[in-house]
Amino acid sequence: MFTFRHAQKSIQLIDSFLDKIDQGIIIFKEGVNNYLSGNNESFLNNLRTLSTLETEADIIRRKVENILYTQSLMPQLRGDIIRLMEELDNIIDLAKKNLYQFDVEVPFIPAELNQDLSKLTELTVAACESVMPAARAYFRDPVSIKEKIHRVYLYEKEADKLADAIKRKVFHDMPNLKLSEKFHLRYFTLHIETLSDAAEKAADLLSIMAIKRTL
Amino acid sequence: MLFLVFISSGLFLGWSLGSNDAANIFGTAVGSKMIRFKQAALIASIFVILGAVFQGKGGAETLNSLGAVDALAGGFTVSLCAAITVLFMTKRGLPVSTSQAIVGAIMGWTYFTGNEADYKVLTKIVSTWISGPLLGMIFSAGLYLLVRMFLAKAKFHVIKLDTYIRISLIIAGAFGAYSLGANNIANVMGVFISAAPNIELNFGLFVLDGVQVLFLIGGLAIALGIYTYSEKVMKTVGNGILSLSPEAAIVVVFSQAIVLFLFSSVKLADLMNNIGLPSFPMVPVSSTQVVVGSVLGIGLIKGSREIKIKTMLGIAAGWITTPIAAGLLSFFLLFFIQNVFDLQITSTLHKAVAAPSEIIESGNNLMQFDLILPGILMVTAAIIVLLIFIVLRQQKLRLKTENELLIHQNQLFQAQRTLTTLEMNTVQSANEALHSKLEARRKEFIDMAFNLTEQRLFLEELSTRLDESIEAESNPEIRSKLYGIQSLIQQKLTFSREKETFYGEVELIHKEFKMKLENAFPDLSDQEKKLATLIRMNLSNKEIATLLSISPKSVEVARYRLKKKLGLEKDNSLMQFIINL
């Protein structure tokens, strides 16, 4: 009747899922920096690790989904929890996809843009990293979510600003680049930036979920 | 039997109570799918019956003091009027309480029979209609504050919290059901107390008197209401009026259970009296109204969001409309029953107010039944049924798992079969390709053999004509030249190079056949083996003759000898034998 065992297992799985996302974000940052500094071997290593983490996160998410529905745990909250897990999973999915795009398309990045792109990655990753404590808080202390997610919005806004600045620099101040190279750089700036958008989406969901739980 | 017919209206009222009021206890839990209906119904039924049997007398005594309905027909009419009022108002969506309906109906009976109504008791009862919801509000507000504080400090994981909530909902539900049975059984069976059977059932651990047996029957009617009709109500309530958070739902159910318990526990009242505190009156109160009060209490804590003035006004209107409607109906129906059916609706024997215990004790011929052995047997049977149920359930689960495994294995087998079929198809098409290649090669050989025969015939003709020319030629120089040509033709007539190539290719293709032939008939000569191979290629005697540099007649003889060596009878076909080898 009482699903203590399943509850315990779900808790472990959710914790492990959040760990995977957290690790994935760090690896993404490492990967981009390695690409920018030309450490190809380390970059490939990062790519492999991120791919493994993404697959594992997917498997865990499906397991949790399965337990929550088959054992009828938290009928009122499970929809929200699964949506939150999907949003977080989306972050690591995007991170992996972006890193793969670096590997496949091998964009040419002028040396003067290295620092800007590295900074953009840092801001984006900071936005994603700030979602994680809020996501963990949802499960134990929903009241504290509000004081955690404001950082996400701040980093996301900063990342947006920097991305715009990079694009402006590419199209206005770099006449030596070919138009195709400019487009390519614009896309890669956009790719990195989407990660912070995904973090913002997760934060939006979390703030609604927090209100629902404290009602 | 007549007794059962008369109490049928009470049983109907009990059914109606079970189908409506169980939703107040398990509505949120079932509506939010935290507990399955079957579990909720079982727990509610067991505890309602327990509450009714062991703690139901308090409320019944008060109702009896309001107006002791002392004849079966009177009790039937009173109960029926209450039931009709409840049913009518529920159908119309008006707020209604069984307690208020029964009080109104009893008052109708009191006025009709001319008995003196105890206004002191009436005031006491009416005061609980207000104090019940009010107490519910106070308890729920206090409990909600405590629960909120505790949860804020404990910081449980949301999944663990869900498990604790499920357990708490079951405990609260069981307590609520017990209190509902204890408090509201008086509404269902209170008016029939005077007609309670004068018996005593001894179960060993406990003894049930006549009133308790009556309450047991009433409790069963409530349980029937829970099982047959409350699922729909629970789901409506769970997703409608009481769509509270699970934590709030626990608080509401607990507050309601506490209020109903307070208004029905004689022991608690005695205890309070003993320590000099005013005790709660033993009065049946409306569980629905206490629940509404409790919800309002939570609303107060959360900032009045849940307070609906319309609901409150509805309840207040119910305090007036329900008893008046039930009272009027009771008055007119009693008139009808007495004058049309000529049934006795009151008895002169019990003019004085009598408590149920006194009624029971007043009986002279008390029948006592010793049910220890049947009780033990029943408990044993229940345990056995439970064990069988558990074993069957386990078996069902195991079968389900095995079935799933079987389905999985079957899927695997099907996939493997498809794969094997595919492989077989590939092999078959490869074989077919090989076969057609072989056939083409065989045709090539036949053409080759045919070509050789043609060439041989042509060269023989040429040689014959050349012989004739040599005979006719007298010039020795020319004759010598013609001899030279004749010798060249004779050399060519052997076709040794072509034949070598031909045999080389044939042996390559018929390697397997040659091996089989050598193993089965080691005595065969090379020439005979060659002949067998050529026969297998379905070549004519003429073609074989060319290839073996012998005449067709010799081929026939060689075939005959080969047939003998292979041990074949006259009727057996040599060709068929060679092909089948």
Side-chain angles (χ1 to χ4, degrees), chain B residues 331-402:
Chain B
F331 192 86
F332 288 112
L333 209 64
L334 283 166
F335 176 79
F336 188 71
I337 294 265
Q338 192 182 42
N339 294 309
V340 176
F341 292 103
D342 202 22
L343 286 169
Q344 193 184 6
I345 50 155
T346 183
S347 159
T348 45
L349 289 171
H350 298 289
K351 278 277 177 193
V353 174
S357 48
E358 288 164 7
I359 295 165
I360 296 302
E361 277 158 20
S362 66
N364 292 329
N365 46 352
L366 178 70
M367 285 189 285
Q368 285 184 320
F369 295 95
D370 192 357
L371 293 175
I372 299 174
L373 191 65
I376 292 170
L377 284 174
M378 271 170 72
V379 171
T380 319
I383 291 169
I384 290 169
V385 168
L386 192 74
L387 283 174
I388 291 171
F389 174 74
I390 291 168
V391 169
L392 283 178
R393 200 181 144 87
Q394 287 290 332
Q395 221 165 19
K396 202 175 154 189
L397 280 173
R398 207 176 53 233
L399 272 172
K400 202 178 156 191
T401 321
E402 276 173 11

Side-chain angles (χ1 to χ4, degrees), chain A residues 185-200:
Chain A
L185 282 169
R186 185 190 70 180
Y187 276 121
F188 274 85
T189 313
L190 204 69
H191 290 328
I192 299 172
E193 195 193 340
T194 48
L195 225 61
S196 66
D197 292 337
E200 190 189 25

